[in-house]
Amino acid sequence: MAAYTKLLLILCSKVEGEVGMKINIVIPSTVLGGGVRVLFLYSNYLVQNGHDVVIYVPMLAYSNQRGKPNIKTSIANTFKRRTVVNWFDCQFKIKLAPAIKDIFIRDADITIASAWYTAPDVFDLSASKGKKIYFIQDYEIWNQNKEIVDATYKLDMNRIVITKSLQKLLNKNFGVDSTVIYNGHHNDE
């Protein structure tokens, strides 16, 4: 639980007032994966500590590495899975958004980007959506346009990374600072 506590303290230090914050998190889909699961664990912990967390999933999924719409994921996000997550006990709300744009995202104290392709959309949200945080769990250049991915790491956002090596890579390659939070686990897992 130390990682959760550290995340909570870092998030709270980024805004005025430490209790009852509204926190938005943008993820590409609710498909079971390590990165999404980690964000769900953090979200439950934040809810248990008095915060209001909403996870947003775009109905129109982000484009694939060739810039073409990801039709399969869009259909699954919109018609199959919707906001149902059978593999996790969600204590937070999940909302579908036609797009990650101001009109579809509530005002909040903090909005967190997850995968690299969520970062530009979160960055472009208005100030009413809160402080912008980029939660980086890997250097996501596999099967992607490296220049586009690299540009996301330079966005003027608060960055949280999960390893010191990722922190060093971002600082060396892009001259940006980040805070390390090691992903924790439950003792019963």
Side-chain angles (χ1 to χ4, degrees):
M1 287 300 182
Y4 302 134
T5 303
K6 186 173 180 182
L7 174 69
L8 186 60
L9 291 172
I10 288 170
L11 292 179
C12 291
S13 70
K14 302 274 186 216
V15 298
E16 296 295 323
E18 297 184 5
V19 180
M21 289 190 301
K22 289 183 178 180
I23 302 170
N24 298 330
I25 302 174
V26 178
I27 63 174
S29 78
T30 57
V31 171
L32 173 58
V36 170
R37 185 174 181 281
V38 165
L39 285 163
F40 282 10
L41 287 167
Y42 283 134
S43 297
N44 272 358
Y45 183 76
L46 290 164
V47 168
Q48 292 163 7
N49 282 274
H51 301 286
D52 177 12
V53 177
V54 175
I55 300 243
Y56 287 93
V57 179
M59 293 170 75
L60 181 58
Y62 290 96
S63 298
N64 64 22
Q65 62 269 20
R66 293 175 190 83
K68 297 186 178 180
N70 191 326
I71 302 300
K72 182 179 174 184
T73 302
S74 296
I75 290 169
N77 282 355
T78 306
F79 300 109
K80 183 180 177 188
R81 290 184 297 273
R82 302 197 50 78
T83 60
V84 176
V85 177
N86 294 322
W87 56 268
F88 194 85
D89 179 24
C90 300
Q91 298 172 20
F92 47 86
K93 297 177 222 72
I94 298 175
K95 292 188 177 182
L96 290 176
I100 306 304
K101 304 290 181 200
D102 280 332
I103 193 169
F104 304 115
I105 307 298
R106 70 173 179 167
D107 290 351
D109 298 300
I110 295 171
T111 298
I112 301 172
S114 57
W116 73 265
Y117 31 83
T118 67
D121 284 345
V122 168
F123 178 76
D124 288 341
L125 293 172
S126 68
S128 67
K129 308 311 173 194
K131 298 282 184 184
K132 310 298 181 0
I133 295 177
Y134 189 0
F135 186 67
I136 305 165
Q137 298 188 69
D138 201 349
Y139 183 42
E140 301 177 293
I141 57 169
W142 57 90
N143 297 321
Q144 308 299 332
N145 180 319
K146 184 178 179 300
E147 290 76 31
I148 294 172
V149 175
D150 286 353
T152 69
Y153 300 121
K154 299 174 191 174
L155 293 172
D156 188 19
M157 300 169 71
N158 295 296
R159 284 167 290 282
I160 296 175
V161 296
I162 63 167
T163 65
K164 284 200 180 285
S165 62
L166 191 51
Q167 181 184 47
K168 289 176 185 175
L169 182 143
L170 292 179
N171 187 269
K172 178 183 174 193
N173 292 3
F174 311 111
V176 297
D177 293 325
S178 58
T179 301
V180 177
I181 297 179
Y182 298 105
N183 288 336
H185 68 279
H186 292 283
N187 290 333
D188 60 347
E189 293 184 332

